């Protein structure tokens, strides 16, 4: 097999600036095909990005920052028994067989955009559904039938108000759905009772359904209490600067690596087209012979 002398070896291609890329010396470590000593010559770039990140973090860490407070409203869950048939067809909380799963399900239902939007309307300007969702965290307490609504704000009183308003709004929102379901369930039970006045069990269910509907309160979910607001701990300035410095150094090294890889990228004109094969007895071939 013959090689075409007019084709240049890719390994000897020049870089973008026209200079041949240096081959890694034997025994010299390389990073992604770039010799380590070539990366090290970009140390000013790494230093600049690191210092820039440190300066920016120092401005943030030691700049004027207002304190932040959080308050938590506790909401106990009293689920219905799994065997309950009185409240079938309603959204009242039913025992899932595990406290964690029961409370987790309820927490996901409460943490909705609709509740956040209604809370924002109750709080007034400048609150919005997005800002309420950013300030409020709804989560279950491990291994308990308890849900915590935690709100953060710049002032202690505001944090308490947001947490309580969100919890109250969530209960009202749920009750709108549950009350309509209870009305349908009562109508169904009333129809069965009228058809059979001696249906004692159905009559008892009708009484219980009517009682819950008239109270206007969800018997499976309530508000226990709201604790006093506490100041939220801030990340120490030294930790912020260390993390920022590490990030700046990484970006500097990444930029140096990208530059070196770009310099080593072969240009399209570095690879010559294969020479045109000439017939052995052509005039051009004979003229080349000595």
């Amino acid at each position: 097999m013959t090689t075409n002398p007019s084709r240049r070896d890719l390994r000897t291609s020049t870089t973008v600036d026209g200079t041949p890329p240096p081959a890694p010396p034997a025994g010299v470590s390389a990073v992604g095909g770039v010799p380590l000593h070539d990366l090290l010559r970009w140390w000013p770039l790494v230093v600049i990005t690191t210092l820039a990140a440190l300066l920016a973090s120092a401005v943030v860490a030691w700049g004027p920052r207002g304190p932040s407070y959080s308050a938590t409203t506790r909401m106990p869950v009293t689920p219905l028994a799994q065997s309950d048939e009185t409240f079938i067809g309603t959204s009242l909380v039913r025992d899932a067989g595990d406290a964690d799963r029961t409370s987790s399900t309820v927490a996901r239902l409460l943490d909705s955009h609709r509740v956040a939007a209604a809370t924002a309307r109750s709080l007034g300007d400048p609150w919005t559904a997005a800002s309420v969702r950013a300030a409020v965290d709804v989560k279950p307490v491990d291994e308990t039938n308890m849900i915590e609504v935690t709100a953060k704000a710049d002032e202690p009183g505001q944090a308490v108000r947001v947490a309580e308003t969100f919890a109250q709004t969530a209960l009202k929102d749920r009750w709108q759905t549950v009350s309509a379901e209870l009305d349908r369930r009562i109508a169904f039970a009333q129809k069965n009772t009228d058809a059979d006045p001696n249906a004692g069990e159905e009559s008892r269910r009708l009484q219980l359904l009517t009682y819950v509907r008239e109270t206007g309160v969800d018997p499976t979910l309530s508000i226990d209490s709201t604790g006093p607001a506490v100041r939220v701990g801030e990340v120490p300035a030294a930790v912020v600067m260390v993390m920022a410095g590490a990030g700046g150094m990484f970006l500097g090294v990444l930029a140096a690596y990208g530059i070196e890889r770009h310099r080593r990228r072969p240009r399209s004109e570095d690879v010559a087209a294969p020479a045109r094969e000439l017939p052995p007895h052509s005039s051009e071939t004979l003229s080349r012979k000595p």
Side-chain angles (χ1 to χ4, degrees):
M1 178 179 179
T2 61
T3 58
N4 193 331
S6 63
R7 182 182 297 274
R8 298 175 58 188
D9 193 345
L10 286 178
R11 292 175 296 180
T12 63
S13 62
T14 60
T15 58
V16 175
D17 59 4
T19 60
V28 176
S29 59
V31 179
V34 178
L36 185 58
H37 66 83
D38 283 349
L39 289 179
L40 292 178
R41 67 180 177 180
W42 292 97
W43 66 265
L45 176 62
V46 178
V47 172
I48 291 174
T49 57
T50 303
L51 291 178
L54 288 174
L55 180 61
S57 64
V59 173
V60 174
W62 278 293
R65 290 187 295 174
S68 179
Y69 298 88
S70 68
T72 300
T73 297
R74 296 170 63 85
M75 304 181 69
V77 181
T78 309
L80 300 171
Q82 291 180 331
S83 59
D84 177 82
E85 298 181 359
T86 301
F87 297 98
I88 288 179
T90 68
S91 299
L92 295 176
V93 182
R94 191 174 294 270
D95 190 2
D98 178 80
D100 285 342
R101 192 166 63 176
T102 301
S103 56
S104 296
T105 301
V106 178
R108 286 195 298 269
L109 293 175
L110 298 182
D111 191 13
S112 66
H113 179 81
R114 185 172 63 184
V115 174
T119 302
R121 289 193 295 269
S122 299
L123 293 172
D125 292 333
W127 290 97
T128 63
S131 62
V132 169
R133 298 206 73 175
V136 176
D137 182 26
V138 183
K139 62 181 181 181
V141 180
D142 293 340
E143 299 181 0
T144 65
N145 283 323
M146 183 70 68
I147 295 173
E148 290 184 343
V149 177
T150 302
K152 294 181 180 179
D154 295 336
E155 299 178 358
Q158 186 76 330
V160 172
R161 179 168 175 252
V162 173
E164 290 181 339
T165 303
F166 187 94
Q168 294 167 359
T169 303
L171 288 182
K172 292 178 182 178
D173 181 76
R174 273 184 54 81
W175 182 248
Q176 290 180 356
T177 301
V178 172
S179 60
E181 296 168 343
L182 287 173
D183 288 339
R184 292 192 294 268
R185 188 76 177 90
I186 289 173
F188 178 79
Q190 184 69 55
K191 181 179 180 180
N192 291 341
T193 302
D194 293 342
D196 184 7
N198 296 322
E201 182 63 23
E202 193 67 17
S203 178
R204 186 193 66 81
R205 290 175 181 169
L206 177 60
Q207 292 177 359
L208 185 56
L209 288 166
T210 304
Y211 170 77
V212 172
R213 179 64 179 87
E214 291 177 349
T215 60
V217 177
D218 185 346
T220 60
L221 184 64
S222 60
I223 295 177
D224 180 24
S225 61
T226 301
V230 295
R231 186 164 180 170
V232 179
E234 300 176 351
V235 179
V239 175
V240 175
M241 293 190 64
V242 168
M243 295 177 62
M249 183 179 298
F250 173 77
L251 290 178
V253 173
L254 188 63
Y257 175 78
I259 294 173
E260 285 296 325
R261 290 289 295 179
H262 181 72
R263 292 181 66 250
R264 283 165 169 72
R265 186 176 62 186
R267 297 182 301 179
S268 58
E269 59 268 24
D270 290 341
V271 182
R276 180 169 55 91
E277 297 292 339
L278 299 176
H281 301 292
S282 65
S283 58
E284 185 175 349
T285 303
L286 295 175
S287 63
R288 291 181 180 180
K289 293 183 179 180

